[in-house]
Amino acid sequence: MLAATNSGAGKTTITLGLLAALRQQGASVQPFKCGPDFIDPTLHQMVSGRVSRNLDLRMCGETVVSNCFHRHGTDADIAIIEGVMGLFDGGAACPAALAKTLKLPVLLVVDAKACAESIAAVVKGFETLDPELRLMGVILNRVGSARHLELLSGAIRSHCHTPLLGHLPRNPDFVIPDRHLGLMMGDESPLSAAQINALADAVTQNIDLAAIQRLALIEDPAEIPSVSTPTDPHKVRIGIARDQAFCFYYQDNLDLLNQSGAMLVPFSPINDQTLPPDLDALYLGGGYPELHAKSLSENQTMLAEIRAWSEAGRPIYAECGGFLYLCQGITDLAGDFWDFAALFPVRARMRQRLTSLGYREATITQPCLLGTQGTLYGHEFHYSEIDEMPPAITRAFQLQDGRSEGYQIRNTLGGYLHLHFGQTPEAAQSLITLCREGKTQ
């Protein structure tokens, strides 16, 4: 587990550096991300060449998390989990809780900028706060000079038990571009091949990779759970929006849909004029429709197809950005309004600040594409807001805070929630079954 003292300490940079350096040495490295983040896993995949998985105890539960980690991590030479926020931030879903659940040692990233001997107090606090947690080492980030490193390392050796395993020098070339929802996506190549190689070289020169590999060994690995594979050759075809505007998907959700009997057929609401042929349902994930609103709005042919699909009663499941695409349109931060599919009779608008953030549990109160009863698990994270949804629009979910969500018109289900089906594979199966048996109405 690669965790940090706080957000912004540099754990993503060091995670990418470790992935690149180890891969450069010929090791296979399986990345994971603690928490619900969609963006960091794409950066992991960009560098490691392997699909990164989310491990979230709140959304997925201990069993699903453990199974995912051992299923996908044990065929690699080393698995690296990037934490979220600070080591102890996030309650039941914090990196410390995940490390203890999976019995993993922790590598602590500490931002050394504007700090010298006092660094020892920081490290000492983290190594003593939870005796059940095993810190395997410390990596210092943004070290300014050789003299700076001497002061930092001397203080840690004098006052702390945790070994210092290396550092990264302060270097603006390692900064990954960001925007309102976080860092740039891996598909956008925010780091060039030369930058990745330079980062790998810096890690190799300044961090003890051999010690990390040695300390990361698990003496008693858990039994790898078996994975059921689909046997039905007659798969339903689900069109999945995949482009610059719609890019937030959990790989485990896609795997569950596949295992439940779906063939996922990608299409681009930005670039394609028509939907792929012979589809049974549409899946519109989250992403950045606000950044591509002009292109989405100008593709009137695709908007008309989406509108006709819904009006014919055919199934659409849409999350967050995908849901906004199904609204009347969106007003961007410049004040310009862009028309969208207009299936839901509300407008969306962007705000400068976060309008909602947090984990959500959604109890199904009305039959919908994802089932007739039970609780679904996910999270909200968005800078937009919508007009008040008219009461005539069906709400399929009841949230813990009393809000109603999961807006439904005909067989179009949309809302702000990003759901993870790990604890509720029956939700994925419900969508497949409805498509296969033609029970949508």
Side-chain angles (χ1 to χ4, degrees), residues 26 30 50 88 110 117 190 197 219 261 263 292 295 307 392 401 408 417:
Q30 175 59 51
R50 293 172 68 113
F88 299 105
V110 184
E117 289 92 341
N197 288 334
E219 295 180 1
M263 176 183 293
H292 304 278
S295 298
R307 197 175 300 117
D401 60 8
Q408 189 165 234
L417 301 189

PDB file of all heavy atoms in Angstrom, residues 26 30 50 88 110 117 190 197 219 261 263 292 295 307 392 401 408 417:
ATOM      1  N   GLY A  26      11.729  -5.050 -15.984  1.00  0.00           N
ATOM      2  CA  GLY A  26      11.193  -6.321 -16.473  1.00  0.00           C
ATOM      3  C   GLY A  26      10.163  -6.963 -15.574  1.00  0.00           C
ATOM      4  O   GLY A  26       9.698  -8.075 -15.867  1.00  0.00           O
ATOM      5  N   GLN A  30       0.977  -5.100 -10.967  1.00  0.00           N
ATOM      6  CA  GLN A  30      -0.469  -4.930 -10.996  1.00  0.00           C
ATOM      7  C   GLN A  30      -0.859  -3.741 -10.123  1.00  0.00           C
ATOM      8  O   GLN A  30      -0.649  -3.753  -8.918  1.00  0.00           O
ATOM      9  CB  GLN A  30      -1.188  -6.178 -10.489  1.00  0.00           C
ATOM     10  CG  GLN A  30      -2.697  -6.020 -10.377  1.00  0.00           C
ATOM     11  CD  GLN A  30      -3.355  -5.657 -11.696  1.00  0.00           C
ATOM     12  OE1 GLN A  30      -3.124  -6.304 -12.707  1.00  0.00           O
ATOM     13  NE2 GLN A  30      -4.179  -4.611 -11.691  1.00  0.00           N
ATOM     14  N   ARG A  50      -1.279  -2.610 -17.510  1.00  0.00           N
ATOM     15  CA  ARG A  50      -2.290  -3.518 -16.951  1.00  0.00           C
ATOM     16  C   ARG A  50      -3.468  -2.691 -16.433  1.00  0.00           C
ATOM     17  O   ARG A  50      -3.295  -1.582 -15.943  1.00  0.00           O
ATOM     18  CB  ARG A  50      -1.701  -4.356 -15.812  1.00  0.00           C
ATOM     19  CG  ARG A  50      -0.634  -5.353 -16.270  1.00  0.00           C
ATOM     20  CD  ARG A  50       0.050  -6.004 -15.077  1.00  0.00           C
ATOM     21  NE  ARG A  50      -0.827  -6.873 -14.325  1.00  0.00           N
ATOM     22  CZ  ARG A  50      -0.699  -8.196 -14.249  1.00  0.00           C
ATOM     23  NH1 ARG A  50       0.267  -8.802 -14.920  1.00  0.00           N
ATOM     24  NH2 ARG A  50      -1.512  -8.912 -13.517  1.00  0.00           N
ATOM     25  N   PHE A  88      -4.937   7.830   7.059  1.00  0.00           N
ATOM     26  CA  PHE A  88      -6.045   7.559   7.972  1.00  0.00           C
ATOM     27  C   PHE A  88      -7.311   8.322   7.613  1.00  0.00           C
ATOM     28  O   PHE A  88      -8.280   8.320   8.374  1.00  0.00           O
ATOM     29  CB  PHE A  88      -5.631   7.892   9.412  1.00  0.00           C
ATOM     30  CG  PHE A  88      -4.465   7.066   9.903  1.00  0.00           C
ATOM     31  CD1 PHE A  88      -3.196   7.621  10.001  1.00  0.00           C
ATOM     32  CD2 PHE A  88      -4.629   5.736  10.239  1.00  0.00           C
ATOM     33  CE1 PHE A  88      -2.117   6.868  10.449  1.00  0.00           C
ATOM     34  CE2 PHE A  88      -3.558   4.968  10.678  1.00  0.00           C
ATOM     35  CZ  PHE A  88      -2.298   5.531  10.784  1.00  0.00           C
ATOM     36  N   VAL A 110       5.869  11.178   2.168  1.00  0.00           N
ATOM     37  CA  VAL A 110       5.844  12.392   2.976  1.00  0.00           C
ATOM     38  C   VAL A 110       6.364  13.549   2.123  1.00  0.00           C
ATOM     39  O   VAL A 110       7.452  13.466   1.552  1.00  0.00           O
ATOM     40  CB  VAL A 110       6.711  12.244   4.241  1.00  0.00           C
ATOM     41  CG1 VAL A 110       6.587  13.497   5.113  1.00  0.00           C
ATOM     42  CG2 VAL A 110       6.305  11.002   5.036  1.00  0.00           C
ATOM     43  N   GLU A 117      14.147  19.056  10.046  1.00  0.00           N
ATOM     44  CA  GLU A 117      14.183  18.062  11.126  1.00  0.00           C
ATOM     45  C   GLU A 117      12.796  17.715  11.672  1.00  0.00           C
ATOM     46  O   GLU A 117      12.582  16.625  12.201  1.00  0.00           O
ATOM     47  CB  GLU A 117      15.074  18.552  12.273  1.00  0.00           C
ATOM     48  CG  GLU A 117      16.568  18.564  11.945  1.00  0.00           C
ATOM     49  CD  GLU A 117      17.031  19.896  11.405  1.00  0.00           C
ATOM     50  OE1 GLU A 117      16.171  20.691  10.940  1.00  0.00           O
ATOM     51  OE2 GLU A 117      18.244  20.162  11.442  1.00  0.00           O
ATOM     52  N   PRO A 190      -1.229  12.520 -20.497  1.00  0.00           N
ATOM     53  CA  PRO A 190      -0.768  13.745 -19.841  1.00  0.00           C
ATOM     54  C   PRO A 190       0.735  13.773 -19.606  1.00  0.00           C
ATOM     55  O   PRO A 190       1.302  14.840 -19.369  1.00  0.00           O
ATOM     56  CB  PRO A 190      -1.527  13.730 -18.515  1.00  0.00           C
ATOM     57  CG  PRO A 190      -1.794  12.282 -18.252  1.00  0.00           C
ATOM     58  CD  PRO A 190      -2.041  11.680 -19.609  1.00  0.00           C
ATOM     59  N   ASN A 197       9.828   7.965 -18.761  1.00  0.00           N
ATOM     60  CA  ASN A 197      11.166   7.380 -18.638  1.00  0.00           C
ATOM     61  C   ASN A 197      12.022   8.171 -17.653  1.00  0.00           C
ATOM     62  O   ASN A 197      12.785   7.594 -16.863  1.00  0.00           O
ATOM     63  CB  ASN A 197      11.843   7.324 -20.005  1.00  0.00           C
ATOM     64  CG  ASN A 197      11.245   6.261 -20.907  1.00  0.00           C
ATOM     65  OD1 ASN A 197      10.694   5.270 -20.424  1.00  0.00           O
ATOM     66  ND2 ASN A 197      11.334   6.466 -22.204  1.00  0.00           N
ATOM     67  N   GLU A 219       3.868 -13.567   3.040  1.00  0.00           N
ATOM     68  CA  GLU A 219       4.307 -14.919   3.384  1.00  0.00           C
ATOM     69  C   GLU A 219       3.198 -15.941   3.229  1.00  0.00           C
ATOM     70  O   GLU A 219       3.439 -17.097   2.911  1.00  0.00           O
ATOM     71  CB  GLU A 219       4.828 -14.939   4.827  1.00  0.00           C
ATOM     72  CG  GLU A 219       6.093 -14.094   5.015  1.00  0.00           C
ATOM     73  CD  GLU A 219       6.587 -14.138   6.441  1.00  0.00           C
ATOM     74  OE1 GLU A 219       5.955 -14.844   7.254  1.00  0.00           O
ATOM     75  OE2 GLU A 219       7.591 -13.483   6.752  1.00  0.00           O
ATOM     76  N   GLY A 261     -23.561 -12.049 -19.282  1.00  0.00           N
ATOM     77  CA  GLY A 261     -24.064 -12.351 -20.610  1.00  0.00           C
ATOM     78  C   GLY A 261     -24.149 -11.174 -21.555  1.00  0.00           C
ATOM     79  O   GLY A 261     -24.969 -11.193 -22.473  1.00  0.00           O
ATOM     80  N   MET A 263     -22.298  -8.465 -24.291  1.00  0.00           N
ATOM     81  CA  MET A 263     -21.198  -8.037 -25.144  1.00  0.00           C
ATOM     82  C   MET A 263     -21.248  -6.516 -25.183  1.00  0.00           C
ATOM     83  O   MET A 263     -22.262  -5.932 -25.583  1.00  0.00           O
ATOM     84  CB  MET A 263     -21.333  -8.608 -26.553  1.00  0.00           C
ATOM     85  CG  MET A 263     -20.253  -8.121 -27.520  1.00  0.00           C
ATOM     86  SD  MET A 263     -20.501  -8.742 -29.208  1.00  0.00           S
ATOM     87  CE  MET A 263     -20.210 -10.493 -28.933  1.00  0.00           C
ATOM     88  N   HIS A 292     -17.059  18.964 -23.480  1.00  0.00           N
ATOM     89  CA  HIS A 292     -17.286  18.647 -24.890  1.00  0.00           C
ATOM     90  C   HIS A 292     -18.728  18.929 -25.283  1.00  0.00           C
ATOM     91  O   HIS A 292     -19.260  18.321 -26.217  1.00  0.00           O
ATOM     92  CB  HIS A 292     -16.933  17.176 -25.146  1.00  0.00           C
ATOM     93  CG  HIS A 292     -15.536  16.808 -24.741  1.00  0.00           C
ATOM     94  ND1 HIS A 292     -14.433  17.056 -25.540  1.00  0.00           N
ATOM     95  CD2 HIS A 292     -15.046  16.260 -23.594  1.00  0.00           C
ATOM     96  CE1 HIS A 292     -13.342  16.663 -24.922  1.00  0.00           C
ATOM     97  NE2 HIS A 292     -13.681  16.169 -23.741  1.00  0.00           N
ATOM     98  N   SER A 295     -19.460  19.902 -29.038  1.00  0.00           N
ATOM     99  CA  SER A 295     -19.403  18.778 -29.977  1.00  0.00           C
ATOM    100  C   SER A 295     -20.584  17.837 -29.784  1.00  0.00           C
ATOM    101  O   SER A 295     -21.174  17.350 -30.758  1.00  0.00           O
ATOM    102  CB  SER A 295     -18.093  18.011 -29.802  1.00  0.00           C
ATOM    103  OG  SER A 295     -16.984  18.827 -30.088  1.00  0.00           O
ATOM    104  N   ARG A 307     -32.673   9.785 -28.524  1.00  0.00           N
ATOM    105  CA  ARG A 307     -34.032  10.188 -28.177  1.00  0.00           C
ATOM    106  C   ARG A 307     -35.041   9.149 -28.688  1.00  0.00           C
ATOM    107  O   ARG A 307     -35.940   8.721 -27.950  1.00  0.00           O
ATOM    108  CB  ARG A 307     -34.322  11.562 -28.774  1.00  0.00           C
ATOM    109  CG  ARG A 307     -35.512  12.286 -28.190  1.00  0.00           C
ATOM    110  CD  ARG A 307     -35.622  13.687 -28.790  1.00  0.00           C
ATOM    111  NE  ARG A 307     -34.441  14.485 -28.527  1.00  0.00           N
ATOM    112  CZ  ARG A 307     -33.630  14.966 -29.452  1.00  0.00           C
ATOM    113  NH1 ARG A 307     -33.861  14.709 -30.743  1.00  0.00           N
ATOM    114  NH2 ARG A 307     -32.582  15.694 -29.121  1.00  0.00           N
ATOM    115  N   ALA A 392     -43.691  14.390 -11.522  1.00  0.00           N
ATOM    116  CA  ALA A 392     -44.268  13.344 -12.369  1.00  0.00           C
ATOM    117  C   ALA A 392     -43.225  12.317 -12.809  1.00  0.00           C
ATOM    118  O   ALA A 392     -43.584  11.207 -13.222  1.00  0.00           O
ATOM    119  CB  ALA A 392     -44.912  13.980 -13.601  1.00  0.00           C
ATOM    120  N   ASP A 401     -29.975   9.912   3.003  1.00  0.00           N
ATOM    121  CA  ASP A 401     -30.286  11.238   3.526  1.00  0.00           C
ATOM    122  C   ASP A 401     -31.717  11.673   3.231  1.00  0.00           C
ATOM    123  O   ASP A 401     -32.083  12.822   3.473  1.00  0.00           O
ATOM    124  CB  ASP A 401     -29.300  12.278   2.983  1.00  0.00           C
ATOM    125  CG  ASP A 401     -29.332  12.374   1.455  1.00  0.00           C
ATOM    126  OD1 ASP A 401     -30.216  11.759   0.824  1.00  0.00           O
ATOM    127  OD2 ASP A 401     -28.470  13.076   0.888  1.00  0.00           O
ATOM    128  N   GLN A 408     -36.515   7.987 -13.728  1.00  0.00           N
ATOM    129  CA  GLN A 408     -36.891   6.981 -14.711  1.00  0.00           C
ATOM    130  C   GLN A 408     -38.026   7.484 -15.599  1.00  0.00           C
ATOM    131  O   GLN A 408     -39.057   7.928 -15.108  1.00  0.00           O
ATOM    132  CB  GLN A 408     -37.311   5.694 -13.992  1.00  0.00           C
ATOM    133  CG  GLN A 408     -37.515   4.514 -14.918  1.00  0.00           C
ATOM    134  CD  GLN A 408     -37.567   3.197 -14.151  1.00  0.00           C
ATOM    135  OE1 GLN A 408     -36.836   2.262 -14.439  1.00  0.00           O
ATOM    136  NE2 GLN A 408     -38.447   3.121 -13.172  1.00  0.00           N
ATOM    137  N   LEU A 417     -25.692   9.195  -9.413  1.00  0.00           N
ATOM    138  CA  LEU A 417     -24.916   8.176  -8.708  1.00  0.00           C
ATOM    139  C   LEU A 417     -24.008   7.395  -9.662  1.00  0.00           C
ATOM    140  O   LEU A 417     -24.431   6.971 -10.734  1.00  0.00           O
ATOM    141  CB  LEU A 417     -25.849   7.184  -8.005  1.00  0.00           C
ATOM    142  CG  LEU A 417     -26.822   7.724  -6.972  1.00  0.00           C
ATOM    143  CD1 LEU A 417     -27.494   6.568  -6.245  1.00  0.00           C
ATOM    144  CD2 LEU A 417     -26.134   8.654  -5.992  1.00  0.00           C
TER     145      LEU A 417
END
